[in-house]
Amino acid sequence: MLLEAHNIGLRHPNGHWLFRNLSISLRSGEIVGIRGPSGCGKTSFARILSGYEQPSEGVVLLDNSPLPKTNYHPVQLIYQHPEKAVNHRWKMSKILNEGWTPDDHLLTSLGIEREWLNRWPNELSGGELQRFCVARALGPKTKFLIADEMTTMLDAISQAQIWQSVLDIAQKRNLGILVVSHDDHLLKRVCSRVIEFHNISYK
Amino acid sequence: MLEVNHLSISFLQYEKGLKQQQLKVIKDLSVSVHSGEILAVVGSSGSGKSLLAHAILGILPTNATTEGTIYFDGVKLTPEKKEEFRGKEISFVPQSVNFLDPLMRVGTQVRNAARGASTSAQRKAFERLRLAKDVEQKFPFQLSGGMARRVLASTAMVSGAKLIIADEPTPGMDPTVIKEALKYFRELADSGCTVLMITHDIGAALEIADKIAVFYAGTTVESAMVNDFSGDGRLLRHPYSKALWRALPQNDFLPIPGSQPLPYANLPGCLFEPRCAFATTECRQDEPKPREIRNGIVRCIHAT
């Protein structure tokens, strides 16, 4: 499958363009990194690719057709702050099974303890919550994953743990991953190519 | 300069109905820093790093009880002393940008937090951290995440405090600004200030710190010199520190299975034993006592 963004632009209500003419393509099985200074619009771009936000101009295409508006979204986004991406009034088991039911094998490979399923989100640390967010996004219909600073807030061991299982699953299921990060070492380690954000956009 | 001895923190929680329980989240934690030194505290999230900072400042919530002693400059820190020193002798860079007052312009805020620092000192700090001139006239909601963090960091820099506690000062900033902020902390330390930097970014810690304390599940498993974090991690003493070092993407990127035990777990022996590749039956029996090995302190009975 092919995920393409054609000449994407995003404009603030006051008329100022955050970015314009942003084009990128990502194939299944490919892992691509995006790097850029803070505040340049990386997160907004990630939200547009995964259908959370509409661009002011340009289109996002999945195999030459627009992104679906209903049903399971084939492009899943993982946020930097897991505590903001979960419902605080739901217990972890409900959060985990929101989109699909992950099997035991996936939970084990992500290091999710069964005991956590009965907890509330505020009783887990950021690293523990992020594992749930990753498991939740890896449903069988997921074709592309957008990892927006997925492990920035986590310690090195949790980071390695989450990335190793994500890379493993991506390889098995031929997923495409777009990695947004500041960490050059991480990008070098996981990506096949790295794009500078300002090289693909022109104001 | 700063000495924390056998600190324990527990929270009183409601279980069900009116039944309460004491939940011990930090157990027997000790760190010490001399003046002119930077101590970096590293460890996984949920290991109690921020709680240590809050305990030193005396800003823990009311349902928390602490045991153990904290000495600052030879003075034992009591709740009254903590209040007296806070903002003057001891300055704090909080982790969350929510600590900024949403209704105050950030320039004023920084000067107030530093108890009447001069405008020129504040402008100089802003300039160093590459904050534009008009930023001081802005309200927190007008700033990006990285800018808000820089505003927080500048508070400590203009305060003239003897002890700076910085809780995760770097995430969200881009690499050039991180470098500048770290350099600033180093300069402050070189001029006689003591800096306690809490971080999970080992790269940043290595760049400026003199000593590194590694936290795991609410206790210090090792305190090491910066040079010990090099090569394949052979110089490190505790298996957790070694695993942390090897998990970095610039090293092996190798995780270890399992996760940190929750405070409810109540393991009798070593807290790292369930995940440790070198664990033996003795590890499960008694809590390991801190031992001094090769100029560092480690809590592991097998360390050499």
Side-chain angles (χ1 to χ4, degrees):
Chain A
M1 286 185 107
L2 182 66
L3 178 70
E4 288 170 293
H6 283 296
N7 301 321
I8 300 286
L10 186 67
R11 183 161 54 181
H12 277 303
N14 66 8
H16 164 77
W17 287 94
L18 186 58
F19 50 76
R20 282 190 92 167
N21 294 328
L22 203 69
S23 298
I24 190 175
S25 68
L26 181 66
R27 284 183 188 286
S28 288
E30 210 182 9
I31 302 178
V32 177
I34 285 197
R35 178 167 51 194
S38 64
C40 71
K42 299 189 296 292
T43 297
S44 303
F45 184 56
R47 288 175 59 86
I48 289 171
L49 280 181
S50 47
Y52 282 99
E53 209 164 324
Q54 286 303 313
S56 313
E57 59 175 26
V59 278
V60 181
L61 298 175
L62 185 68
D63 272 350
N64 290 319
S65 48
L67 290 173
K69 291 220 160 57
T70 51
N71 275 338
Y72 193 94
H73 204 288
V75 184
Q76 290 284 319
L77 175 66
I78 298 169
Y79 287 93
Q80 179 178 358
H81 301 285
E83 58 276 20
K84 292 183 183 168
V86 299
N87 188 337
H88 279 246
R89 292 168 184 241
W90 285 7
K91 282 204 171 172
M92 293 317 301
S93 53
K94 196 171 172 190
I95 292 170
L96 181 68
N97 296 318
E98 191 180 351
W100 68 299
T101 312
D103 54 29
D104 265 6
H105 179 70
L106 179 64
L107 298 190
T108 311
S109 72
L110 280 170
I112 295 174
E113 304 277 335
R114 303 300 176 279
E115 194 207 345
W116 296 346
L117 294 172
N118 209 19
R119 291 181 188 282
W120 298 100
N122 65 356
E123 293 172 328
L124 294 175
S125 75
E128 289 156 6
L129 280 177
Q130 192 65 298
R131 292 162 210 241
F132 282 89
C133 293
V134 173
R136 184 174 63 170
L138 285 174
K141 291 183 203 153
T142 301
K143 302 293 177 222
F144 289 95
L145 203 64
I146 316 286
D148 182 11
E149 302 269 15
M150 179 168 78
T151 49
T152 309
M153 303 302 287
L154 310 183
D155 63 281
I157 291 178
S158 309
Q159 166 166 284
Q161 218 171 16
I162 290 179
W163 269 113
Q164 295 295 5
S165 41
V166 168
L167 293 177
D168 189 42
I169 292 162
Q171 203 188 13
K172 272 187 204 141
R173 297 207 214 144
N174 204 26
L175 298 181
I177 306 181
L178 189 71
V179 188
V180 179
S181 177
H182 272 130
D183 188 345
D184 286 343
H185 296 297
L186 178 69
L187 290 174
K188 213 184 279 169
R189 179 62 82 158
V190 301
C191 303
S192 52
R193 62 186 162 109
V194 178
I195 307 168
E196 293 289 340
F197 192 80
H198 55 83
N199 284 354
I200 51 170
S201 78
Y202 307 94
K203 281 199 181 158
Chain B
M1 184 69 176
L2 179 74
E3 228 186 292
V4 178
N5 293 320
H6 310 291
L7 179 74
S8 300
I9 300 175
S10 37
F11 287 102
L12 192 62
Q13 280 191 331
Y14 280 99
E15 253 176 289
K16 208 168 205 174
L18 291 173
K19 218 168 122 197
Q20 288 182 320
Q21 64 158 356
Q22 284 280 355
L23 182 66
K24 212 168 206 175
V25 287
I26 283 193
K27 249 203 271 191
D28 198 10
L29 190 151
S30 307
V31 290
S32 70
V33 216
H34 302 289
S35 58
E37 263 187 356
I38 299 181
L39 172 75
V41 174
V42 299
S44 60
S45 59
S47 63
K49 298 182 306 237
S50 297
L51 285 176
L52 166 70
H54 291 200
I56 295 171
L57 290 151
I59 52 171
L60 288 169
T62 46
N63 66 336
T65 43
T66 57
E67 286 161 53
T69 51
I70 304 173
Y71 285 95
F72 169 67
D73 221 357
V75 184
K76 189 177 171 184
L77 284 183
T78 55
E80 298 79 40
K81 281 275 175 219
K82 283 178 188 168
E83 204 177 327
E84 188 191 320
F85 286 156
R86 212 152 58 203
K88 280 188 203 147
E89 310 281 310
I90 305 177
S91 174
F92 180 49
V93 182
Q95 180 175 15
S96 165
V97 292
N98 294 341
F99 280 72
L100 288 167
D101 185 338
L103 298 179
M104 200 191 271
R105 293 182 199 279
V106 294
T108 326
Q109 202 159 155
V110 167
R111 293 195 291 273
N112 283 1
R115 306 251 174 130
S118 70
T119 315
S120 65
Q122 171 249 313
R123 289 206 177 132
K124 221 171 106 196
F126 273 30
E127 206 185 303
R128 275 294 298 265
L129 294 176
R130 308 203 184 164
L131 288 166
K133 247 198 151 158
D134 58 328
V135 170
E136 63 179 50
Q137 288 301 322
K138 289 196 164 143
F139 290 100
F141 76 91
Q142 295 170 303
L143 306 179
S144 82
M147 284 158 86
R149 292 215 147 271
R150 280 180 262 168
V151 168
L152 286 171
S154 70
T155 318
M157 294 169 176
V158 298
S159 64
K162 280 197 235 155
L163 170 66
I164 293 173
I165 301 173
D167 193 356
E168 301 276 7
T170 52
M173 297 185 188
D174 41 303
T176 43
V177 182
I178 290 183
K179 227 175 194 146
E180 192 60 38
L182 293 178
K183 220 169 98 194
Y184 211 151
F185 280 127
R186 184 68 251 178
E187 279 169 24
L188 286 169
D190 290 340
S191 64
C193 204
T194 308
V195 181
L196 182 76
M197 187 171 84
I198 295 165
T199 180
H200 64 254
D201 183 354
I202 299 181
L206 292 179
E207 226 165 277
I208 58 159
D210 300 294
K211 287 196 294 190
I212 294 186
V214 184
F215 278 30
Y216 185 72
T219 187
T220 29
V221 292
E222 173 166 354
S223 50
M225 303 311 282
V226 165
N227 306 339
D228 297 341
F229 284 84
S230 61
D232 57 358
R234 196 181 306 148
L235 291 171
L236 291 167
R237 299 158 191 86
H238 198 279
Y240 176 71
S241 326
K242 287 185 190 174
L244 197 62
W245 176 244
R246 292 188 61 193
L248 287 176
Q250 57 267 45
N251 297 332
D252 297 340
F253 205 42
L254 261 183
I256 50 168
S259 56
Q260 184 173 255
L262 286 159
Y264 310 85
N266 252 333
L267 296 173
C270 172
L271 292 167
F272 188 61
E273 180 268 328
R275 300 173 77 184
C276 186
F278 311 101
T280 56
T281 36
E282 289 123 299
C283 297
R284 229 166 294 164
Q285 282 152 7
D286 282 308
E287 210 176 293
K289 295 270 163 281
R291 295 191 296 146
E292 214 180 307
I293 289 176
R294 290 184 281 119
N295 288 326
I297 294 166
V298 62
R299 246 177 225 272
C300 173
I301 52 170
H302 298 303
T304 47

